[in-house]
């Protein structure tokens, strides 16, 4: 069974030998070959240029032959950009949006019609990647959840816990709902175009799920994630990652997705028990292990595999993106441990 078949089998909980794996880079300047490319072009140019995006996507696969899937090099902020709110990566770290949205009058400034169609550079990169990877390796696309995208749009950039967005939720919920509606339409359109362009699976990142309380999470995030899922084909290969929300695994599973991405704060067995239905789980090594010694990381990897107890519905992954301080030799040792299967 090759990598792609193994990945697709795990998503459907079909037997396939060892757990397939991939890693999300995100704050990913850990590879010298990435830093070399970035010295020549800025981040947004790399995202917008299909040949460069393809090259950066393939870098981890060239270095780590054990990886079963590639994740497209892009960013969740391409959707705000397509709607008319650009973004940039600050050299000192962090994300800045061109402007912040604060009320109904800002909604009129968004270019909603055909927004996803303006992301043709993403579909071009996926098509090129599909050709490069053939049937050997799986290819993943992704998008931010409506709520997580709204956080960046309202806050005007990255933030600790998005106080402006949380404040607005209490003072002008109707504006927020209108914005979330627009975002869920655009995200669904965008993800379905990614599937048509050759992505084998798509991940929805609800990275800022945890800034919401339980009932707010239902009305301002889960509701719109369900809308996205409903607008995609039935049984679409979706991985839903809601950081900090493992305790809500049953609500996350009830969205109907075949797979949940799990952060490192709860063992997979416990998430499985809470989910209440059989599904695939992806995760969940704490990325901080990759900054430390291979021995500790290998031990923690073995504990995750043991806890999963051979369930075929498992994709090995970090509980979040790899950090800039990650050690290549530690990551290598982790990947070899997963290949060894114990
Ligand atoms: O392996 C890959 O290349 C994956 C591609 C990818 C990126 N961003 C590239 C990127 C993915 C899947 C993302 C998703 C993303 N982007 C999310 C959701 C995932 C998560 O982390 O929860 C979010 C919230 C964003 C927004 C964003 N973009 C942040 C918070 C940052 C990091 C800012 C910082 O200070 O580190 C980015 C920048 C970014 N996106 C980088 C990469 C490789 C780092 C750019 C660099 O350092 O050169």
């Amino acid at each position: 069974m090759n990598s792609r078949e193994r990945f697709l089998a795990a998503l459907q909980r079909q037997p396939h030998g060892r757990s397939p794996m991939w890693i999300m880079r995100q704050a990913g300047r850990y590879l010298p070959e990435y830093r070399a490319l970035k010295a020549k072009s800025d981040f947004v140019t790399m995202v917008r240029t299909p040949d460069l995006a393809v090259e950066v996507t393939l870098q981890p696969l060239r270095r780590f032959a054990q990886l079963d899937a590639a994740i497209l090099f892009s960013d969740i902020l391409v959707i705000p950009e397509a709607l008319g709110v650009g973004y940039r990566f600050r050299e000192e770290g962090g994300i800045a949006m061109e402007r912040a949205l604060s009320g109904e009058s800002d909604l009129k400034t968004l270019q909603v019609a055909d927004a996803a169609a303006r992301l043709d550079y993403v579909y071009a990169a996926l098509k090129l990647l599909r050709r490069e990877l053939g049937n050997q390796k799986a290819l993943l696309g992704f998008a931010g959840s409506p709520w997580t995208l709204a956080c960046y749009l309202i806050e005007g950039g990255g933030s600790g816990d998005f106080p402006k967005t949380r404040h607005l939720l209490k003072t002008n919920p109707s504006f927020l709902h209108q914005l979330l509606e627009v975002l869920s339409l655009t995200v669904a359109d965008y993800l379905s175009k990614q599937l048509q362009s050759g992505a084998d699976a798509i991940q929805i990142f609800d990275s800022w799920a945890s800034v919401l309380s339980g009932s707010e999470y239902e009305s301002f995030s889960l509701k719109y994630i369900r809308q996205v899922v409903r607008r995609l084909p039935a049984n679409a290969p979706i991985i839903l990652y809601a950081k900090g929300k493992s305790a809500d695994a049953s609500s996350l599973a009830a969205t109907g997705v075949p797979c949940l991405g799990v952060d490192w704060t709860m063992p997979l067995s416990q998430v499985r028990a809470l989910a209440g239905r059989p599904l695939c789980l992806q995760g969940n090594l704490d990325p901080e292990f990759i900054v430390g010694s291979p021995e500790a990381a290998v031990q923690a990897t073995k504990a995750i595999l043991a806890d999963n107890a051979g369930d075929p519905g498992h994709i090995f992954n970090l509980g979040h993106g790899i950090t800039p301080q990650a050690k290549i030799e530690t990551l290598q040792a982790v990947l070899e441990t997963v290949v060894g299967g114990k």
Side-chain angles (χ1 to χ4, degrees):
M1 186 172 266
N2 73 24
S3 282
R4 187 179 186 219
E5 291 160 347
R6 189 180 294 132
F7 187 89
L8 294 173
L11 261 184
Q12 292 160 19
R13 300 192 73 245
Q14 303 294 323
H16 57 269
R18 70 161 173 87
S19 299
M21 58 189 157
W22 63 281
I23 44 160
M24 181 179 70
R25 175 162 29 194
Q26 175 58 309
R29 33 232 182 235
Y30 75 110
L31 285 182
E33 53 269 37
Y34 172 78
R35 293 196 299 268
L37 269 186
K38 224 190 115 188
K40 291 186 272 175
S41 329
D42 71 287
F43 179 73
V44 176
T45 303
M46 280 161 60
V47 166
R48 295 179 61 101
T49 311
D51 285 345
L52 288 175
V54 166
E55 178 57 27
V56 180
T57 302
L58 294 175
Q59 284 177 341
L61 277 88
R62 294 204 184 103
R63 194 181 265 270
F64 306 107
Q66 295 90 346
L67 294 176
D68 296 294
I71 178 149
L72 172 73
F73 173 78
S74 185
D75 203 90
I76 63 167
L77 300 168
V78 299
I79 293 255
E81 183 181 50
L83 290 166
V85 185
Y87 66 100
R88 70 186 169 83
F89 178 66
R90 295 194 196 102
E91 268 327 299
E92 65 277 21
I95 288 290
M97 307 303 293
E98 213 166 61
R99 59 194 169 104
L101 308 183
S102 58
E104 268 88 352
S105 60
D106 291 326
L107 285 174
K108 298 189 195 74
T109 68
L110 298 181
Q111 294 144 30
V112 178
D114 294 328
R118 284 193 282 280
L119 295 170
D120 50 350
Y121 58 85
V122 173
Y123 317 128
L126 285 171
K127 284 176 193 160
L128 287 168
L129 281 165
R130 181 75 279 158
R131 225 184 300 153
E132 283 279 330
L133 300 171
N135 291 326
Q136 298 300 308
K137 303 270 177 177
L139 176 60
L140 272 113
F142 66 92
S145 73
W147 163 254
T148 288
L149 294 175
C151 285
Y152 284 94
L153 280 165
I154 293 167
E155 216 74 22
S159 157
D161 49 12
F162 293 90
K164 264 166 81 182
T165 315
R166 282 160 49 232
H167 181 74
L168 201 128
L169 180 153
K170 279 92 182 163
T171 52
N172 193 353
S174 135
F175 161 64
L176 193 49
H177 282 300
Q178 291 174 65
L179 176 62
L180 290 164
E181 201 71 55
V182 165
L183 288 168
S184 72
L185 270 169
T186 310
V187 166
D189 192 11
Y190 179 52
L191 289 176
S192 90
K193 287 183 162 67
Q194 291 189 28
L195 288 171
Q196 288 160 18
S197 305
D200 291 307
I202 46 190
Q203 176 147 328
I204 299 176
F205 287 102
D206 200 3
S207 303
W208 298 110
S210 64
V211 305
L212 293 173
S213 72
S215 63
E216 289 172 344
Y217 189 56
E218 165 55 34
S219 343
F220 291 91
S221 188
L222 270 176
K223 177 180 163 193
Y224 295 97
I225 290 172
R226 288 195 296 267
Q227 284 193 16
V228 171
V229 173
R230 237 181 278 126
R231 286 180 177 125
L232 289 167
N235 307 315
I238 305 167
I239 303 167
L240 171 59
Y241 172 80
K243 187 160 179 286
K245 286 289 178 188
S246 290
D248 290 342
S250 70
S251 316
L252 296 168
T255 59
V257 299
C259 187
L260 296 181
V262 184
D263 69 31
W264 64 88
T265 60
M266 194 186 271
L268 295 179
S269 56
Q270 203 177 331
V271 179
R272 228 178 253 295
L274 288 172
R277 71 168 170 89
L279 82 184
C280 173
L281 294 183
Q282 174 184 281
N284 68 343
L285 185 69
D286 185 339
E288 281 306 314
F289 275 114
I290 311 297
V291 178
S293 72
E295 292 73 26
V298 162
Q299 207 179 349
T301 302
K302 287 181 178 168
I304 288 169
L305 297 177
D307 175 62
N308 182 59
D311 193 301
H314 179 230
I315 296 170
F316 182 82
N317 201 270
L318 303 183
H320 201 200
I322 197 159
T323 62
Q325 302 77 23
K327 290 205 181 76
I328 290 170
E329 67 274 19
T330 300
L331 180 59
Q332 186 70 51
V334 164
L335 301 182
E336 277 161 17
T337 304
V338 179
V339 169
K342 339 185 239 315

